[in-house]
Structures are given as C-alpha cells and as structure tokens.
C-alpha cells in the first residue's frame, strides 16, 4: 500500500505543514537513511532517524506554495531505510493550490 498525504486546498503563499507518523512495525531497529522529495515545492524530514521496534517518529512535510509551478500538486516523497522487505517507500502528496 502506498501512503497518501492530501493537503486538500491550500490558499495563499504561506508555507503549510503536515505531520505524519512513521511506525516501526518490525522486530529490529529501523534506520531511515534518506528522505527526499521530487519537487522543490516540498520539504520533508523525520525527527528521529533511528526507530526502535514498536516505536514511531514524526515526519514533517512542508509545502511551499511560492515554489509551485501549477495549481495542482502531485508529488512524491521517497524514504530509504534499512527495512529488509521495503527499503524504499513512497508517499504521494497531493494538494490544490489557490
């Protein structure tokens, strides 16, 4: 399953942020090596890089409307980790800018 973060309608030019949880559902520590975005309009980072089994951390996703090229945002965030079954995860980010 792919996670989707929908900012819905974003009005104006102020940066908007959403926070989502990244949960380690495995039995060994999860290490997040890299978080990258495919567009300058988005910035994303995790508060903790190492997550113990059963623990979670917060990922902050920041959207900067000033850097948007169109009124519809359809973008991806890529998380690279040491998860043996899913070392690369994608989060789809959508928004409508006004």
């Amino acid at each position: 399953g792919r996670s989707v973060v929908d900012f819905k309608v974003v009005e104006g030019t102020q940066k908007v942020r959403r926070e989502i949880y990244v949960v380690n559902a495995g039995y060994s520590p999860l290490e997040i090596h890299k978080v990258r975005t495919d567009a300058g309009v988005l910035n994303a980072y995790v508060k903790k890089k190492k997550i113990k089994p059963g623990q979670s951390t917060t990922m902050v996703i920041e959207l900067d409307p000033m850097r948007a090229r169109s009124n519809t945002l359809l973008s991806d965030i890529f998380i690279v980790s040491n998860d043996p079954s899913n070392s690369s995860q994608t989060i789809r980010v959508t928004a409508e800018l006004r």
Side-chain angles (χ1 to χ4, degrees), residues 2 13 15 17 32 41 44 60 69 82-83 87 90 94 97:
R2 147 184 229 149
T13 56
K15 286 183 185 178
R17 60 169 52 182
I32 295 171
V41 65
V60 178
R69 295 210 177 94
N82 68 340
D83 183 340
S87 65
T90 308
T94 58
L97 308 173

Side-chain angles (χ1 to χ4, degrees), residues 12 23 44 47 84 86:
V23 180
K47 294 198 171 168
N86 202 359

